[in-house]
Amino acid sequence: MADGRDPLGRDRMRGAVNPSHHGSRSPFEARGSHPPPGPAYQTPERRPGWVPPPSGAPGVRGPPPSGSGAGPARAGPNEPRHHYTSSSGAGDAAGASTSRESTPGGPGAARGLGGPAGPGGLGGKPIRRRPLADTLRTRLADSKTKHGSTGQTLSLQSNYFKLVKRVDWTLSHYAVSIVPPCPSPRLAQSLVNEHKTILGGFVFDGANLFTGSKLPSEEMVLHSKHDRTGDKYEVHIERVATVDMTGETGIQVLNLILRRAMNGLNLQLVGRNLYDAAAKIPVREYHIELWPGYITSIRQHEADVLVCCEIAHKTMRMQTCYDILRECQRHDRNYKDAFRKAVLGCVVLTGYNNKTYTINDVTFDTTPESTFDTKNGPISFMEYYKNKYNIRIRDAFQPMLLSRAKKKDARSGDNELMALVPELCQMTGLTDSMRSDFKMMRAMADHTRLNPDRRIERLETFNRRLQTSPESQEVFRVWKMELDRRLVDVPGRLLPQEMIFFSTTSTGVQAGDNADWTAHFRDNPMFATVRLSRWYLVVPGRCQREANDFLGCMIKAARGMRFEISNCEIIPMQDDNPNTYMRTLDSIINKDPQMIMCVVSNNKSDRYTAIKKKCCVDRAIPTQVMVQKTITPKTGNIRTLMSVATKVVIQMNCKLGGVPWKVKIPLNGLMTIGFDVCHDSKDKSKSFGAMVATLDHDNRGTPKFFSTVSHHSSGEEISTYLPLNTVKALNEYRREFGELPKRIIFYRDGVSEGQLQYIYEHEVRSLVDKLGQIYRSAGIEQEVLLTFFIVNKRINTRFFDQRLNPRPGTVVDNVVTLPQRTDFYLVSQSVKQGTVSPTAYNIVWDSSNLKIDHLQMLSYKQCHLYYNWSGTTRVPAVCQYAHKLSFLVGQYLHQAPSSLLEKKLYFL
């Protein structure tokens, strides 16, 4: 099943949990007190859900306060937390279920050829499915070619396999209803499966049947009988439509078929992807395991149906939630709060059903000895796991974890909290402290960052297993499919190297094969500099020696790049307390400095947040924050700091309004815009959208910059302020140069596949309309020359050049692209470890009259202009700037910065 849903999850136990107590003492309750009576678990139809107990019950909390929402109410540190759910919802108590109907072979036995079970058409409450939107088509049939010709031709391979033999991908869609109404989705699958010989290859989701060939009649009635009870049923099948295999429904059907074929590989479904637990890689010194797995998708590409396969790894920690509980109990006096803090928001894996859950809360009032009612009478969690999975729970007094049902379950009515047993929940993912452990991340990278030759070998092994598995072969045989054993060949092109210009008079230097021009700063000035004469260095007393040495390196590095830096005034501090920094900054700001540099002893976020809020929100002063470790020479040799000093000097010049380098862009009157979104780290319902624009009036002049931030509370990466912010950038362009830009290139990042239609219909169209109004009001009647890109770097496509990484500048615009879009892939970076990841560009609006070659080269040029790194970036510089700004605001500021900083790259 592609979404990991429990096939038994529609027919759950009923009733309420009754607390049961024994004479033994809980190891986690102080002074030997027993756990208080547990809250009621009430499920009118399906699953045990966590609900408040009835008012007045002895030893049980009362009803929730009026006006309470569905989420957990916040309590004081020593108060119990209340959790509320609607009575009509249903949670999944540790995946527990007792199905009324069963079929031999386990949960996935009666599934036709790959379709997940669903309740629609079974006579019960139908699932509320989201409407399926067709794949966004932005390329017209008569549009100009999407294939470029500039550059050196390449013969590449990609991580795709071709379906060399297949049926005509025109699936027939049929509606299915069962009379009398069927009580179980699994039973419905079994009843339909009885007619495999008539239906042939099919996918059935409980209400819809998709077949590879038309059935003998438009309407059919098939007769089935339950194997165990002998009950007779009629399966009514009526033709609905023909499925377009390039549409969303066709893509889903193809992926269901592929997922069914992969069932023969003995992989485990964890979340949405399949992992090979048998091939797990232990990293014992850090108590973690890496589960190798595969991310697959299948869809119609330019000329063929292709299967994309990417290697994935799931990080599993060698500890359960119970282990964390015991650790908190040993080391923390208030272990309950410590345990809550340690597990809240974490994702856990329950091995008995291979499902993942996010922990939303912990209840110490309920234990595994608590019982819930079923049709066969009350049963405790301990008894249930023993009977259902033959699992013995060791500690009867441990608390229970609560996980809110996922959206897909909530849409089908399962909107309760689910109860999980800590000792059965394995921790997944990494903590912040783990991520900050360089040695640990390096040890993981040795296994997860596969070089191209190792990645190709793993892909070929996957293909070989898929070809030789009997179950997989049966699926391919039924659907008359055959998978190619070779990776697909892809034509590509290598764009010319860019010239990096450090002045208007220089001839420029080549970016190099690896697109890195760091070494050229030793011999060249920066393109444009701003004299730094009034600036201050704030430093704690214990860091003063390192700060003085680093200051000397900075002045020396700046002199070589023709950047004038006067000696700063050093302000020593007694300690590095955030309040001390605030008092010191207040005294400095009154002196109207150009810049303030702060040296901090470590990476504590509260100190960094205080500094940035004071200088970016309260006042408008560019700041440079340096950690003591960064400015300390590793071997005691101060010369080793010169490379760090060079990068810091470049940053400082940019924050003042300078420009380190340029590339040649042969377009006058150009405005390039980047947009990205970051969620607020404190409040996930809030997001900040950042827009950064580069203003180029003359390609030989110095570009100007403009940035702005908008707050929106939807929690989604979609901004309704985009047209308004673009107008602000247009007004700034007009103030700087006295006219509107002739051409606008817009790069929109932070968009998922499911948001494309919304972005096109709302953001793009409203932007085009707004720009039209602005230009007409300025007396310009011609259509605005606008190109709108959707930029996506979270993709699974990879390319290989003779079993090596492609070089920076590699473009692919055929074979693996989509026929309904004007899209291409661009490899703009060079990596030293692992396989390089390309970036996908999708042109959803283009009235620029530029050739596709020009748009591809322009996008590659933009990847050279991120001034925080003397090399290329994965996305155009304006996108990287927008990401940097939105991250600063979402993670630290939590409010829009001062508008006085809009013209500077203060966020670098």
Side-chain angles (χ1 to χ4, degrees):
M1 294 173 293
D3 61 359
R5 183 185 297 277
D6 181 358
L8 305 180
R10 301 294 172 195
D11 191 18
R12 298 289 182 172
M13 297 164 288
R14 305 181 181 183
V17 165
N18 300 317
S20 64
H21 305 294
H22 297 272
S24 58
R25 300 172 63 179
S26 167
F28 299 107
E29 294 299 329
R31 305 178 185 231
S33 61
H34 295 296
Y41 281 78
Q42 184 176 355
T43 56
E45 290 294 334
R46 304 174 182 89
R47 307 177 184 176
W50 206 98
V51 297
S55 177
V60 181
R61 295 188 302 236
S66 60
S68 300
R74 295 293 177 191
N78 298 318
E79 300 176 25
R81 298 192 181 191
H82 299 265
H83 315 268
Y84 311 117
T85 60
S86 61
S87 61
S88 61
D92 181 1
S97 71
T98 53
S99 175
R100 294 193 189 98
E101 308 295 342
S102 62
T103 43
R111 299 204 163 276
L113 289 175
L122 305 183
K125 182 179 178 180
I127 186 171
R128 295 177 60 190
R129 299 184 185 277
R130 288 179 296 175
L132 295 176
D134 285 339
T135 303
L136 178 64
R137 299 174 182 271
T138 56
R139 184 168 181 255
L140 302 178
D142 58 348
S143 61
K144 55 188 177 184
T145 179
K146 60 182 283 186
H147 308 310
S149 58
T150 300
Q152 173 189 344
T153 58
L154 300 172
S155 179
L156 308 174
Q157 283 186 311
S158 187
N159 58 332
Y160 287 80
F161 297 103
K162 184 188 301 184
L163 286 178
V164 293
K165 178 183 177 183
R166 57 186 173 86
V167 298
D168 183 10
W169 285 119
T170 305
L171 294 192
S172 297
H173 176 197
Y174 295 87
V176 177
S177 59
I178 298 178
V179 180
C182 181
S184 163
R186 293 190 66 195
L187 175 58
Q189 291 282 355
S190 177
L191 298 177
V192 173
N193 270 2
E194 292 183 22
H195 307 285
K196 286 182 179 180
T197 55
I198 298 176
L199 301 177
F202 70 90
V203 172
F204 177 52
D205 69 355
N208 301 287
L209 181 76
F210 301 95
T211 63
S213 57
K214 288 184 63 176
L215 299 181
S217 176
E218 298 285 312
E219 297 183 18
M220 300 176 63
V221 179
L222 305 176
H223 298 275
S224 302
K225 185 171 69 172
H226 194 292
D227 292 338
R228 186 161 54 86
T229 64
D231 294 338
K232 296 182 179 180
Y233 295 89
E234 291 183 353
V235 181
H236 293 256
I237 301 176
E238 182 179 358
R239 181 177 171 82
V240 176
T242 297
V243 178
D244 178 8
M245 296 314 295
T246 62
E248 197 71 23
T249 303
I251 292 171
Q252 288 186 358
V253 172
L254 290 175
N255 281 281
L256 288 173
I257 297 170
L258 177 63
R259 183 59 61 94
R260 177 58 175 165
M262 292 176 63
N263 284 349
L265 304 185
N266 296 322
L267 303 177
Q268 293 189 16
L269 184 67
V270 181
R272 294 184 177 182
N273 301 319
L274 292 165
Y275 295 91
D276 192 349
K280 60 187 176 185
I281 305 168
V283 187
R284 300 190 185 280
E285 59 269 33
Y286 300 106
H287 306 290
I288 59 173
E289 294 174 344
L290 298 174
W291 287 17
Y294 307 98
I295 302 174
T296 58
S297 65
I298 179 172
R299 70 190 307 173
Q300 175 70 52
H301 289 266
E302 293 292 348
D304 299 286
V305 176
L306 302 179
V307 178
C308 177
C309 179
E310 170 60 348
I311 308 300
H313 291 86
K314 186 75 173 178
T315 304
M316 310 296 292
R317 286 149 62 182
M318 294 180 183
Q319 65 178 167
T320 64
C321 292
Y322 184 80
D323 296 329
I324 295 177
L325 177 65
R326 294 303 302 265
E327 189 175 328
C328 293
Q329 195 262 344
R330 285 193 298 267
H331 297 98
D332 294 276
R333 179 175 299 178
N334 191 350
Y335 73 89
K336 293 184 178 180
D337 285 346
F339 180 60
R340 281 194 179 97
K341 184 177 180 180
V343 300
L344 287 186
C346 294
V347 177
V348 298
L349 171 72
T350 50
Y352 49 83
N353 62 355
N354 290 321
K355 284 190 176 183
T356 55
Y357 302 89
T358 300
I359 304 305
N360 298 108
D361 215 325
V362 182
T363 171
F364 286 84
D365 299 336
T366 306
T367 70
E369 284 197 334
S370 301
T371 62
F372 52 88
D373 291 333
T374 70
K375 64 179 181 178
N376 297 322
I379 186 173
S380 69
F381 286 101
M382 296 184 68
E383 294 172 313
Y384 170 78
Y385 283 107
K386 179 63 177 176
N387 298 338
K388 179 71 175 177
Y389 299 106
N390 195 27
I391 294 175
R392 179 179 175 272
I393 296 176
R394 296 173 297 164
D395 184 0
F397 294 98
Q398 60 188 297
M400 299 291 280
L401 308 174
L402 300 178
S403 175
R404 189 167 303 282
K406 298 175 183 177
K407 290 182 179 181
K408 60 185 177 62
D409 295 321
R411 286 195 298 270
S412 60
D414 301 339
N415 53 358
E416 297 285 348
L417 292 174
M418 298 170 282
L420 306 169
V421 181
E423 69 179 66
L424 303 182
C425 296
Q426 184 178 1
M427 300 294 292
T428 70
L430 301 173
T431 64
D432 291 338
S433 60
M434 289 178 175
R435 291 188 179 92
S436 61
D437 188 336
F438 174 78
K439 292 183 179 179
M440 175 181 172
M441 299 305 292
R442 181 64 180 268
M444 290 180 57
D446 291 339
H447 301 286
T448 59
R449 294 184 181 176
L450 303 177
N451 290 330
D453 54 345
R454 288 181 60 195
R455 188 176 296 270
I456 291 173
E457 182 181 341
R458 291 272 295 273
L459 292 172
E460 291 173 342
T461 300
F462 166 76
N463 184 293
R464 192 160 50 248
R465 291 178 63 187
L466 199 61
Q467 300 273 12
T468 56
S469 165
E471 187 174 343
S472 304
Q473 286 181 323
E474 174 64 14
V475 174
F476 288 142
R477 185 192 64 78
V478 171
W479 285 94
K480 302 177 183 177
M481 294 164 50
E482 181 182 339
L483 196 64
D484 196 351
R485 296 178 182 271
R486 297 176 59 256
L487 294 174
V488 68
D489 293 321
V490 179
R493 290 175 289 112
L494 181 63
L495 298 179
Q497 287 188 25
E498 288 296 326
M499 299 296 293
I500 308 299
F501 294 92
F502 294 96
S503 69
T504 55
T505 58
S506 69
T507 56
V509 298
Q510 284 193 330
D513 292 336
N514 295 325
D516 185 349
W517 50 93
T518 304
H520 293 291
F521 277 103
R522 301 171 185 169
D523 308 316
N524 291 280
M526 285 190 279
F527 189 88
T529 59
V530 177
R531 188 173 187 274
L532 180 58
S533 56
R534 301 185 318 278
W535 67 297
Y536 296 82
L537 174 60
V538 178
V539 55
R542 61 179 177 177
C543 306
Q544 195 162 353
R545 182 174 61 85
E546 292 88 345
N548 284 326
D549 291 342
F550 186 71
L551 180 60
C553 293
M554 286 176 52
I555 294 175
K556 183 177 179 180
R559 190 181 302 117
M561 292 184 285
R562 314 296 193 270
F563 178 27
E564 295 184 48
I565 296 183
S566 302
N567 285 326
C568 65
E569 182 177 341
I570 300 177
I571 310 296
M573 299 189 308
Q574 293 181 347
D575 56 57
D576 60 354
N577 189 284
N579 292 328
T580 306
Y581 277 95
M582 293 303 96
R583 291 193 297 268
T584 305
L585 290 174
D586 280 333
S587 63
I588 295 175
I589 288 173
N590 295 329
K591 301 177 182 179
D592 189 28
Q594 289 177 276
M595 175 169 285
I596 301 175
M597 173 180 281
C598 297
V599 177
V600 295
S601 56
N602 53 46
N603 279 317
K604 288 188 66 175
S605 61
D606 58 343
R607 188 189 300 113
Y608 183 81
T609 298
I611 294 172
K612 289 299 181 180
K613 276 190 174 181
K614 172 63 68 173
C615 296
C616 294
V617 178
D618 300 342
R619 302 297 290 267
I621 306 294
T623 56
Q624 186 75 30
V625 180
M626 301 299 301
V627 181
Q628 180 184 3
K629 182 180 178 180
T630 305
I631 63 175
T632 302
K634 295 180 180 180
T635 60
N637 186 354
I638 298 177
R639 292 182 180 179
T640 59
L641 295 176
M642 285 303 297
S643 61
V644 177
T646 300
K647 294 177 182 178
V648 171
V649 167
I650 294 172
Q651 269 190 324
M652 293 172 62
N653 183 42
C654 292
K655 291 180 179 182
L656 295 172
V659 175
W661 65 82
K662 281 190 64 176
V663 298
K664 185 177 181 180
I665 299 178
L667 292 173
N668 291 326
L670 176 66
M671 183 168 73
T672 310
I673 303 175
F675 184 88
D676 202 357
V677 174
C678 183
H679 298 307
D680 193 301
S681 60
K682 290 185 176 180
D683 184 355
K684 296 300 182 182
S685 66
K686 294 168 57 179
S687 297
F688 292 95
M691 193 190 80
V692 177
T694 302
L695 318 179
D696 287 284
H697 185 253
D698 180 357
N699 60 60
R700 295 183 60 85
T702 302
K704 307 293 183 180
F705 298 94
F706 175 81
S707 63
T708 183
V709 177
S710 297
H711 159 256
H712 46 101
S713 58
S714 65
E716 299 177 353
E717 299 190 352
I718 298 175
S719 174
T720 57
Y721 302 96
L722 189 144
L724 177 62
N725 290 337
T726 304
V727 172
K728 291 181 181 179
L730 286 175
N731 292 335
E732 180 62 28
Y733 191 100
R734 184 152 43 184
R735 279 192 294 270
E736 287 285 348
F737 305 116
E739 61 180 2
L740 291 172
K742 296 181 176 65
R743 194 182 307 274
I744 301 173
I745 307 293
F746 203 112
Y747 294 97
R748 173 71 157 94
D749 203 350
V751 179
S752 66
E753 185 78 14
Q755 295 173 330
L756 283 176
Q757 191 73 36
Y758 182 94
I759 295 292
Y760 180 75
E761 293 178 355
H762 294 79
E763 291 189 6
V764 178
R765 290 195 173 277
S766 60
L767 176 62
V768 171
D769 293 341
K770 191 66 177 178
L771 291 177
Q773 296 174 14
I774 297 295
Y775 276 73
R776 283 193 296 272
S777 65
I780 303 174
E781 294 298 330
Q782 72 177 39
E783 186 180 16
V784 180
L785 301 181
L786 169 69
T787 304
F788 196 103
F789 286 88
I790 298 292
V791 181
N792 190 0
K793 55 184 179 293
R794 295 182 180 180
I795 58 176
N796 297 320
T797 300
R798 300 291 183 268
F799 298 110
F800 315 107
D801 186 359
Q802 307 298 322
R803 303 181 78 88
L804 299 174
N805 277 320
R807 286 164 286 179
T810 299
V811 173
V812 174
D813 55 16
N814 206 340
V815 179
V816 295
T817 51
L818 299 179
Q820 63 270 24
R821 297 179 184 171
T822 304
D823 58 345
F824 60 89
Y825 294 96
L826 173 62
V827 176
S828 53
Q829 281 185 307
S830 174
V831 298
K832 296 180 180 179
Q833 185 180 12
T835 305
V836 68
S837 298
T839 300
Y841 292 79
N842 181 15
I843 303 174
V844 298
W845 183 276
D846 183 22
S847 57
S848 65
N849 297 324
L850 294 176
K851 296 179 180 180
I852 188 65
D853 279 306
H854 299 152
L855 295 175
Q856 292 172 354
M857 287 190 292
L858 180 61
S859 299
Y860 185 45
K861 288 175 181 291
Q862 289 292 328
C863 295
H864 292 70
L865 297 174
Y866 180 63
Y867 297 139
N868 211 11
W869 166 247
S870 51
T872 50
T873 51
R874 279 192 66 186
V875 295
V878 284
C879 279
Q880 192 68 24
Y881 289 138
H883 170 73
K884 190 86 171 179
L885 177 55
S886 63
F887 184 82
L888 171 67
V889 177
Q891 295 292 314
Y892 301 107
L893 303 184
H894 309 292
Q895 55 186 309
S898 170
S899 60
L900 298 176
L901 293 171
E902 289 178 340
K903 299 180 183 180
K904 298 178 180 178
L905 300 176
Y906 63 93
F907 43 83
L908 278 183

PDB file of all heavy atoms in Angstrom, residues 356-372:
ATOM      1  N   THR A 356       4.746   4.647  11.118  1.00  0.00           N
ATOM      2  CA  THR A 356       5.374   5.759  11.818  1.00  0.00           C
ATOM      3  C   THR A 356       4.302   6.676  12.390  1.00  0.00           C
ATOM      4  O   THR A 356       3.246   6.874  11.774  1.00  0.00           O
ATOM      5  CB  THR A 356       6.289   6.566  10.885  1.00  0.00           C
ATOM      6  OG1 THR A 356       5.551   6.999   9.733  1.00  0.00           O
ATOM      7  CG2 THR A 356       7.477   5.726  10.445  1.00  0.00           C
ATOM      8  N   TYR A 357       4.596   7.244  13.540  1.00  0.00           N
ATOM      9  CA  TYR A 357       3.673   8.149  14.223  1.00  0.00           C
ATOM     10  C   TYR A 357       4.463   9.325  14.777  1.00  0.00           C
ATOM     11  O   TYR A 357       5.611   9.177  15.203  1.00  0.00           O
ATOM     12  CB  TYR A 357       2.954   7.448  15.381  1.00  0.00           C
ATOM     13  CG  TYR A 357       2.158   6.217  14.981  1.00  0.00           C
ATOM     14  CD1 TYR A 357       2.756   4.959  14.964  1.00  0.00           C
ATOM     15  CD2 TYR A 357       0.825   6.321  14.623  1.00  0.00           C
ATOM     16  CE1 TYR A 357       2.035   3.836  14.599  1.00  0.00           C
ATOM     17  CE2 TYR A 357       0.090   5.198  14.267  1.00  0.00           C
ATOM     18  CZ  TYR A 357       0.705   3.961  14.251  1.00  0.00           C
ATOM     19  OH  TYR A 357      -0.016   2.847  13.887  1.00  0.00           O
ATOM     20  N   THR A 358       3.837  10.494  14.793  1.00  0.00           N
ATOM     21  CA  THR A 358       4.418  11.674  15.425  1.00  0.00           C
ATOM     22  C   THR A 358       3.827  11.810  16.827  1.00  0.00           C
ATOM     23  O   THR A 358       2.602  11.784  16.987  1.00  0.00           O
ATOM     24  CB  THR A 358       4.123  12.942  14.609  1.00  0.00           C
ATOM     25  OG1 THR A 358       4.676  12.795  13.299  1.00  0.00           O
ATOM     26  CG2 THR A 358       4.743  14.160  15.266  1.00  0.00           C
ATOM     27  N   ILE A 359       4.675  11.950  17.829  1.00  0.00           N
ATOM     28  CA  ILE A 359       4.213  12.033  19.209  1.00  0.00           C
ATOM     29  C   ILE A 359       3.739  13.455  19.486  1.00  0.00           C
ATOM     30  O   ILE A 359       4.505  14.413  19.374  1.00  0.00           O
ATOM     31  CB  ILE A 359       5.335  11.639  20.191  1.00  0.00           C
ATOM     32  CG1 ILE A 359       5.862  10.246  19.864  1.00  0.00           C
ATOM     33  CG2 ILE A 359       4.818  11.696  21.622  1.00  0.00           C
ATOM     34  CD1 ILE A 359       4.808   9.168  19.833  1.00  0.00           C
ATOM     35  N   ASN A 360       2.461  13.581  19.853  1.00  0.00           N
ATOM     36  CA  ASN A 360       1.882  14.884  20.161  1.00  0.00           C
ATOM     37  C   ASN A 360       1.784  15.160  21.658  1.00  0.00           C
ATOM     38  O   ASN A 360       1.752  16.314  22.067  1.00  0.00           O
ATOM     39  CB  ASN A 360       0.499  15.018  19.525  1.00  0.00           C
ATOM     40  CG  ASN A 360       0.544  14.926  18.019  1.00  0.00           C
ATOM     41  OD1 ASN A 360       0.126  13.947  17.418  1.00  0.00           O
ATOM     42  ND2 ASN A 360       1.097  15.946  17.382  1.00  0.00           N
ATOM     43  N   ASP A 361       1.709  14.104  22.464  1.00  0.00           N
ATOM     44  CA  ASP A 361       1.641  14.317  23.904  1.00  0.00           C
ATOM     45  C   ASP A 361       1.865  12.998  24.622  1.00  0.00           C
ATOM     46  O   ASP A 361       1.958  11.936  23.993  1.00  0.00           O
ATOM     47  CB  ASP A 361       0.302  14.928  24.324  1.00  0.00           C
ATOM     48  CG  ASP A 361       0.471  15.903  25.487  1.00  0.00           C
ATOM     49  OD1 ASP A 361       1.333  15.643  26.350  1.00  0.00           O
ATOM     50  OD2 ASP A 361      -0.242  16.920  25.524  1.00  0.00           O
ATOM     51  N   VAL A 362       1.952  13.098  25.964  1.00  0.00           N
ATOM     52  CA  VAL A 362       2.157  11.937  26.821  1.00  0.00           C
ATOM     53  C   VAL A 362       1.110  11.987  27.921  1.00  0.00           C
ATOM     54  O   VAL A 362       0.850  13.061  28.483  1.00  0.00           O
ATOM     55  CB  VAL A 362       3.571  11.940  27.447  1.00  0.00           C
ATOM     56  CG1 VAL A 362       3.792  10.701  28.300  1.00  0.00           C
ATOM     57  CG2 VAL A 362       4.637  12.044  26.364  1.00  0.00           C
ATOM     58  N   THR A 363       0.482  10.864  28.228  1.00  0.00           N
ATOM     59  CA  THR A 363      -0.437  10.780  29.355  1.00  0.00           C
ATOM     60  C   THR A 363       0.098   9.785  30.371  1.00  0.00           C
ATOM     61  O   THR A 363       0.297   8.602  30.058  1.00  0.00           O
ATOM     62  CB  THR A 363      -1.860  10.386  28.915  1.00  0.00           C
ATOM     63  OG1 THR A 363      -2.645  10.127  30.074  1.00  0.00           O
ATOM     64  CG2 THR A 363      -1.867   9.152  28.013  1.00  0.00           C
ATOM     65  N   PHE A 364       0.332  10.271  31.601  1.00  0.00           N
ATOM     66  CA  PHE A 364       0.777   9.397  32.679  1.00  0.00           C
ATOM     67  C   PHE A 364      -0.415   8.806  33.429  1.00  0.00           C
ATOM     68  O   PHE A 364      -0.232   8.035  34.364  1.00  0.00           O
ATOM     69  CB  PHE A 364       1.669  10.176  33.643  1.00  0.00           C
ATOM     70  CG  PHE A 364       3.041  10.454  33.101  1.00  0.00           C
ATOM     71  CD1 PHE A 364       3.266  11.552  32.285  1.00  0.00           C
ATOM     72  CD2 PHE A 364       4.109   9.618  33.394  1.00  0.00           C
ATOM     73  CE1 PHE A 364       4.524  11.809  31.770  1.00  0.00           C
ATOM     74  CE2 PHE A 364       5.368   9.873  32.879  1.00  0.00           C
ATOM     75  CZ  PHE A 364       5.585  10.964  32.066  1.00  0.00           C
ATOM     76  N   ASP A 365      -1.637   9.179  33.041  1.00  0.00           N
ATOM     77  CA  ASP A 365      -2.833   8.671  33.699  1.00  0.00           C
ATOM     78  C   ASP A 365      -3.279   7.333  33.129  1.00  0.00           C
ATOM     79  O   ASP A 365      -4.115   6.656  33.720  1.00  0.00           O
ATOM     80  CB  ASP A 365      -3.985   9.679  33.549  1.00  0.00           C
ATOM     81  CG  ASP A 365      -3.646  11.012  34.193  1.00  0.00           C
ATOM     82  OD1 ASP A 365      -2.799  11.015  35.106  1.00  0.00           O
ATOM     83  OD2 ASP A 365      -4.211  12.036  33.787  1.00  0.00           O
ATOM     84  N   THR A 366      -2.759   6.969  31.990  1.00  0.00           N
ATOM     85  CA  THR A 366      -3.127   5.712  31.342  1.00  0.00           C
ATOM     86  C   THR A 366      -1.886   4.847  31.206  1.00  0.00           C
ATOM     87  O   THR A 366      -0.806   5.352  30.902  1.00  0.00           O
ATOM     88  CB  THR A 366      -3.731   5.995  29.953  1.00  0.00           C
ATOM     89  OG1 THR A 366      -4.808   6.912  30.091  1.00  0.00           O
ATOM     90  CG2 THR A 366      -4.248   4.712  29.319  1.00  0.00           C
ATOM     91  N   THR A 367      -2.043   3.553  31.436  1.00  0.00           N
ATOM     92  CA  THR A 367      -0.932   2.609  31.357  1.00  0.00           C
ATOM     93  C   THR A 367      -1.337   1.435  30.487  1.00  0.00           C
ATOM     94  O   THR A 367      -2.514   1.296  30.121  1.00  0.00           O
ATOM     95  CB  THR A 367      -0.558   2.104  32.763  1.00  0.00           C
ATOM     96  OG1 THR A 367      -1.611   1.250  33.238  1.00  0.00           O
ATOM     97  CG2 THR A 367      -0.337   3.254  33.726  1.00  0.00           C
ATOM     98  N   PRO A 368      -0.406   0.550  30.152  1.00  0.00           N
ATOM     99  CA  PRO A 368      -0.782  -0.639  29.376  1.00  0.00           C
ATOM    100  C   PRO A 368      -1.789  -1.546  30.073  1.00  0.00           C
ATOM    101  O   PRO A 368      -2.410  -2.374  29.412  1.00  0.00           O
ATOM    102  CB  PRO A 368       0.558  -1.350  29.186  1.00  0.00           C
ATOM    103  CG  PRO A 368       1.567  -0.267  29.240  1.00  0.00           C
ATOM    104  CD  PRO A 368       1.059   0.704  30.256  1.00  0.00           C
ATOM    105  N   GLU A 369      -1.969  -1.379  31.396  1.00  0.00           N
ATOM    106  CA  GLU A 369      -2.972  -2.186  32.086  1.00  0.00           C
ATOM    107  C   GLU A 369      -4.377  -1.636  31.914  1.00  0.00           C
ATOM    108  O   GLU A 369      -5.350  -2.313  32.254  1.00  0.00           O
ATOM    109  CB  GLU A 369      -2.634  -2.282  33.574  1.00  0.00           C
ATOM    110  CG  GLU A 369      -1.487  -3.236  33.883  1.00  0.00           C
ATOM    111  CD  GLU A 369      -1.456  -3.607  35.343  1.00  0.00           C
ATOM    112  OE1 GLU A 369      -1.950  -2.801  36.154  1.00  0.00           O
ATOM    113  OE2 GLU A 369      -0.960  -4.698  35.653  1.00  0.00           O
ATOM    114  N   SER A 370      -4.501  -0.401  31.421  1.00  0.00           N
ATOM    115  CA  SER A 370      -5.827   0.165  31.161  1.00  0.00           C
ATOM    116  C   SER A 370      -6.532  -0.669  30.105  1.00  0.00           C
ATOM    117  O   SER A 370      -5.903  -1.240  29.211  1.00  0.00           O
ATOM    118  CB  SER A 370      -5.703   1.611  30.692  1.00  0.00           C
ATOM    119  OG  SER A 370      -5.047   2.405  31.660  1.00  0.00           O
ATOM    120  N   THR A 371      -7.839  -0.733  30.217  1.00  0.00           N
ATOM    121  CA  THR A 371      -8.609  -1.585  29.306  1.00  0.00           C
ATOM    122  C   THR A 371      -9.529  -0.754  28.447  1.00  0.00           C
ATOM    123  O   THR A 371      -9.880   0.382  28.780  1.00  0.00           O
ATOM    124  CB  THR A 371      -9.446  -2.610  30.084  1.00  0.00           C
ATOM    125  OG1 THR A 371     -10.380  -1.916  30.917  1.00  0.00           O
ATOM    126  CG2 THR A 371      -8.560  -3.507  30.937  1.00  0.00           C
ATOM    127  N   PHE A 372      -9.930  -1.326  27.328  1.00  0.00           N
ATOM    128  CA  PHE A 372     -10.951  -0.731  26.475  1.00  0.00           C
ATOM    129  C   PHE A 372     -11.915  -1.838  26.092  1.00  0.00           C
ATOM    130  O   PHE A 372     -11.563  -3.022  26.082  1.00  0.00           O
ATOM    131  CB  PHE A 372     -10.335  -0.067  25.234  1.00  0.00           C
ATOM    132  CG  PHE A 372      -9.402  -0.952  24.462  1.00  0.00           C
ATOM    133  CD1 PHE A 372      -9.887  -1.790  23.467  1.00  0.00           C
ATOM    134  CD2 PHE A 372      -8.039  -0.945  24.717  1.00  0.00           C
ATOM    135  CE1 PHE A 372      -9.038  -2.598  22.744  1.00  0.00           C
ATOM    136  CE2 PHE A 372      -7.175  -1.754  24.001  1.00  0.00           C
ATOM    137  CZ  PHE A 372      -7.673  -2.591  23.018  1.00  0.00           C
TER     138      PHE A 372
END
